[in-house]
Amino acid sequence: MRALCVFNAFRSSVRCWRHRGVTTFRRTPGFCSRRWLTDSTRSVIPGMDEILSRVVAPLPTYETRDKCPPPPESHSVEFMHFYRSLDKDDKRDLLSRLSQDFGVDHKSVSEFAGKLLDTQLRDLATILQVEDRLRYSLTPRYKQLLSHISRVEGGVKFLVDLRADVVEILSSKSSESPHIRDLNGTLKSLLSEWFSVGLLRLERITWQSPCETLQKISQYEAVHPIRNWTDLKRRVGPYRRCYAFTHAAMPGEPLVVLHVALTEDISDNIQSIVREFAAVDQEEDINKINAAIFYSISSTQAGLQGVELGNYLIKKVVRELQSEFPHMERFSSLSPIPGFSSWLQGLLTQYRKEGCGSDLLSEQEWREVEQAIDPAPGASVMDSLRKVVGSSEWMRSEHLSNVLEPVLMRLCAWYLYGEKRRGYALNPVANFHLQNGATMWRINWLADVSPRGAANSCGIMVNYRYFLNETSTNSALYLQNKVINASEQVLGLVSQFQKNSKL
């Protein structure tokens, strides 16, 4: 019966995913999203000014801040309905108007800042009172609306989705308004409080979990797509664990999902995890469970970007697994390396333009590569190499794989260890695990031979090892001093790269 349920869920998953989060309701008269163009402004949305002036209450005075009654719940519901009725462009216009016209009273802030300077020679109690008034004056008017929305049914989910719209506006640069950035910061701060780890619930997903939850787990899997209901059943079955954080304000909605494989040794390829399965009804042999491999972690809510959830989920899961398997001491990820292939293509292009290919590969390696790829007449070896590594065809040739292995492994090691953004690892997955205190432990050749693995990272994956007695120290060294803790294998590959390259 459950198999049929999940099968039907899979059949409708694409349609459900495409329309997820769309709410149908009867529009209030006047709430029309039609656009009226003028010479001086791109659009005016009928009803926008009216609804904003009604639902965004003036900020109470400092003296009455705790005595003002809350606005009617209907105001929050009305705003939510109005916002959902708008198209993408009109939503951007509304958020711009909300953030600009209903933000901080800058005149009041300037006055209190001046008063604070004037009170520096006064007694401490006076200074603290003026500081508190200044702090209160820095509250944007729309913050009250956001707080009231969070208290109505479905309000927290609405705000998570609203922030996803704000993040998209900023990332697409469709608006350069500093007020939008300030709105994003306010939303992120509120969501960080509401989704603090103490308010989250760790839930293990099993085949007995509700069908709706299982369907969402399959939809949200962003690292190694789930192919069908049998695949899903095995990923929550023997020698596998699936955990998710949930929140009381968003029932039935997993926030971040972690898939774990229970193995004898630390896995060096993903095929052994997602392709080679134990029987779905097989009993687990505790003697064959010595390691926990975190092979996929997916955030499900774009609006929670920047709100720390994944690192806390890993820590909670480690404690959960230690409780279930007291003898377990090996914890490691088996992580993809998104961005390596595109970085490599850029590097090869740069070296070709500068004519310094000898700094990338030795003469012997160039000869071996040329013989293995057999470039077309008139084509340079560098261009042929770029074309070869840009596809997955080379993986089918054992000889070509053997020739490319030492080259790509040391290039990948440098990309993970040496390429930085503001002093931290450029690769986002590396940065995530290093912030958590993991060690860059082992780079694995042909660990993911799927089309996605070939396209993203030439089939290479990496283990980030969690030595539990070292994670706090490693995390502090990385966050404060930008020090990456790496194994001898990784450092050896980095050293090989540095001997050849002038980077």
Side-chain angles (χ1 to χ4, degrees):
M1 186 67 183
R2 176 164 295 275
L4 179 60
C5 177
V6 178
F7 178 73
N8 291 332
F10 263 86
R11 289 181 59 190
S12 62
S13 62
V14 175
R15 176 169 51 82
C16 292
W17 174 260
R18 191 170 295 163
H19 298 286
R20 182 172 57 86
V22 176
T23 303
T24 302
F25 57 89
R26 182 169 299 173
R27 294 191 182 191
T28 303
F31 287 179
C32 175
S33 61
R34 184 180 173 188
R35 189 173 287 107
W36 298 89
L37 300 179
T38 68
D39 293 335
S40 59
T41 181
R42 188 189 64 79
S43 64
V44 175
I45 308 172
M48 177 185 290
D49 291 335
E50 177 189 349
I51 193 171
L52 287 177
S53 62
R54 184 166 61 253
V55 303
V56 187
L59 195 68
T61 64
Y62 180 81
E63 290 75 17
T64 63
R65 64 193 185 281
D66 297 325
K67 301 174 184 177
C68 289
E73 183 177 299
S74 59
H75 283 185
S76 297
V77 175
E78 185 181 16
F79 178 82
M80 292 163 64
H81 283 180
F82 181 74
Y83 183 82
R84 285 171 172 153
S85 74
L86 303 177
D87 63 23
K88 183 176 180 180
D89 291 335
D90 288 343
K91 285 180 178 179
R92 184 187 64 225
D93 292 346
L94 184 145
L95 292 172
S96 296
R97 186 75 61 87
L98 177 69
S99 61
Q100 181 171 337
D101 297 348
F102 300 89
V104 171
D105 182 347
H106 299 293
K107 181 180 178 181
S108 176
V109 170
S110 298
E111 291 175 356
F112 280 114
K115 290 181 180 179
L116 181 61
L117 291 174
D118 294 339
T119 60
Q120 292 306 298
L121 299 179
R122 302 281 298 276
D123 60 281
L124 180 60
T126 301
I127 293 174
L128 291 176
Q129 185 182 49
V130 176
E131 286 179 346
D132 195 45
R133 285 175 174 266
L134 174 60
R135 189 179 301 112
Y136 181 71
S137 69
L138 287 167
T139 304
R141 280 180 61 183
Y142 57 71
K143 186 175 181 180
Q144 290 187 106
L145 172 64
L146 303 179
S147 297
H148 291 135
I149 288 174
S150 72
R151 299 168 191 168
V152 304
E153 184 177 356
V156 172
K157 172 61 175 170
F158 172 83
L159 292 175
V160 170
D161 293 339
L162 185 142
R163 183 172 180 250
D165 293 340
V166 173
V167 169
E168 183 181 356
I169 290 171
L170 293 174
S171 62
S172 66
K173 298 185 179 179
S174 59
S175 173
E176 299 290 343
S177 170
H179 300 288
I180 290 286
R181 289 195 293 272
D182 192 57
L183 173 61
N184 180 54
T186 301
L187 279 165
K188 179 182 175 182
S189 178
L190 288 172
L191 293 172
S192 295
E193 293 179 11
W194 298 335
F195 289 88
S196 64
V197 67
L199 301 177
L200 299 175
R201 176 173 175 265
L202 180 66
E203 181 178 342
R204 180 181 168 188
I205 310 299
T206 69
W207 192 240
Q208 282 68 46
S209 298
C211 284
E212 294 79 5
T213 300
L214 290 170
Q215 180 183 355
K216 288 178 180 178
I217 293 298
S218 69
Q219 292 173 344
Y220 289 140
E221 174 51 34
V223 184
H224 305 291
I226 296 174
R227 300 184 300 279
N228 50 46
W229 68 267
T230 302
D231 189 1
L232 174 61
K233 186 174 184 179
R234 284 168 171 160
R235 294 201 196 186
V236 297
Y239 298 102
R240 300 291 181 267
R241 296 292 186 272
C242 179
Y243 297 94
F245 266 150
T246 59
H247 192 281
M250 294 171 59
E253 191 73 46
L255 306 176
V256 57
V257 181
L258 178 65
H259 288 271
V260 185
L262 306 178
T263 61
E264 290 190 71
D265 299 303
I266 295 178
S267 304
D268 62 2
N269 73 89
I270 195 63
Q271 290 81 225
S272 63
I273 292 177
V274 301
R275 296 289 181 182
E276 300 172 13
F277 301 104
V280 292
D281 298 321
Q282 180 180 353
E283 291 291 328
E284 291 179 345
D285 182 353
I286 194 171
N287 296 315
K288 294 182 178 180
I289 298 176
N290 300 315
I293 311 301
F294 312 126
Y295 67 93
S296 174
I297 184 166
S298 300
S299 297
T300 68
Q301 309 294 320
L304 294 179
Q305 177 181 309
V307 178
E308 295 294 344
L309 296 177
N311 57 347
Y312 294 117
L313 178 58
I314 287 179
K315 291 173 183 176
K316 277 217 146 192
V317 166
V318 166
R319 289 196 289 270
E320 189 80 7
L321 291 172
Q322 283 183 315
S323 175
E324 185 177 1
F325 305 102
H327 67 286
M328 184 181 289
E329 296 180 350
R330 302 180 196 174
F331 299 91
S332 174
S333 78
L334 180 60
S335 300
I337 312 173
F340 170 61
S341 291
S342 58
W343 172 85
L344 176 60
Q345 290 291 327
L347 184 68
L348 292 173
T349 300
Q350 172 191 337
Y351 271 59
R352 181 180 61 80
K353 289 179 178 179
E354 297 175 358
C356 51
S358 59
D359 294 337
L360 197 60
L361 277 68
S362 68
E363 291 184 9
Q364 176 65 25
E365 286 174 332
W366 277 121
R367 285 195 296 270
E368 292 177 353
V369 168
E370 183 174 14
Q371 292 173 2
I373 63 179
D374 190 20
S380 70
V381 181
M382 180 73 81
D383 286 336
S384 299
L385 177 60
R386 286 180 62 245
K387 185 176 180 180
V388 165
V389 298
S391 72
S392 59
E393 295 298 319
W394 61 270
M395 291 185 180
R396 298 184 175 90
S397 168
E398 183 178 356
H399 175 60
L400 188 52
S401 295
N402 291 336
V403 170
L404 292 177
E405 179 177 357
V407 175
L408 295 182
M409 285 286 280
R410 68 172 182 256
L411 287 167
C412 186
W414 175 258
Y415 169 71
L416 291 171
Y417 184 87
E419 289 294 320
K420 304 292 176 61
R421 181 176 182 269
R422 299 175 182 172
Y424 299 103
L426 174 67
N427 182 265
V429 178
N431 189 53
F432 169 77
H433 287 290
L434 293 171
Q435 285 187 50
N436 292 347
T439 296
M440 193 177 290
W441 188 64
R442 186 175 65 195
I443 300 175
N444 304 295
W445 178 246
L446 295 185
D448 183 0
V449 296
S450 69
R452 176 181 290 195
N456 286 340
S457 60
C458 299
I460 304 173
M461 299 187 76
V462 56
N463 297 115
Y464 297 99
R465 182 91 179 261
Y466 283 80
F467 297 98
L468 301 184
N469 59 340
E470 300 176 6
T471 53
S472 296
T473 301
N474 291 346
S475 178
L477 284 172
Y478 181 70
L479 291 171
Q480 297 171 13
N481 302 322
K482 302 172 182 177
V483 174
I484 295 177
N485 192 39
S487 67
E488 291 185 5
Q489 184 235 22
V490 175
L491 295 177
L493 290 168
V494 169
S495 179
Q496 292 174 30
F497 175 85
Q498 289 174 320
K499 287 179 182 178
N500 282 46
S501 176
K502 297 297 189 293
L503 284 180

